[in-house]
Amino acid sequence: MKTAVLKKNGITLVRTVEVANTMRLRLVGLLGRDGLGSDRAMHLSPCNCIHTFLMKFPIDLIFLSKSLQITKLA
């Protein structure tokens, strides 16, 4: 899986962003994990819905536009 760093104005916001950009990676997502870590995130792309069925931990969601602008928080 590819990873990236999320920065804004040169400041690191998230050290490790896992990029799930294939059908298989998006399908597996976070299933089977006990957690993600406070300094980690997962970017699902493309994705128009998210389910948390069988998830072992709560998650925060940030929905982005195609230009990576925040459109919704959940």
Side-chain angles (χ1 to χ4, degrees):
M1 179 176 299
K2 294 180 183 181
T3 62
V5 177
L6 178 61
K7 292 184 177 186
K8 182 175 182 179
N9 299 329
I11 298 170
T12 300
L13 302 175
V14 180
R15 293 189 186 280
T16 306
V17 178
E18 297 179 32
V19 180
N21 58 356
T22 68
M23 179 64 141
R24 186 182 73 74
L25 291 174
R26 289 190 309 273
L27 184 63
V28 173
L30 298 173
L31 292 176
R33 298 188 194 192
D34 292 326
L36 188 58
S38 61
D39 61 344
R40 300 179 70 89
M42 179 173 279
H43 181 222
L44 304 169
S45 176
C47 180
N48 60 2
C49 67
I50 297 171
H51 74 82
T52 56
F53 186 68
L54 298 176
M55 295 270 309
K56 297 179 182 179
F57 57 98
I59 59 174
D60 296 318
L61 302 173
I62 302 172
F63 293 87
L64 304 172
S65 67
K66 288 183 180 182
S67 61
L68 301 180
Q69 299 297 314
I70 296 173
T71 60
K72 182 179 176 182
L73 301 173

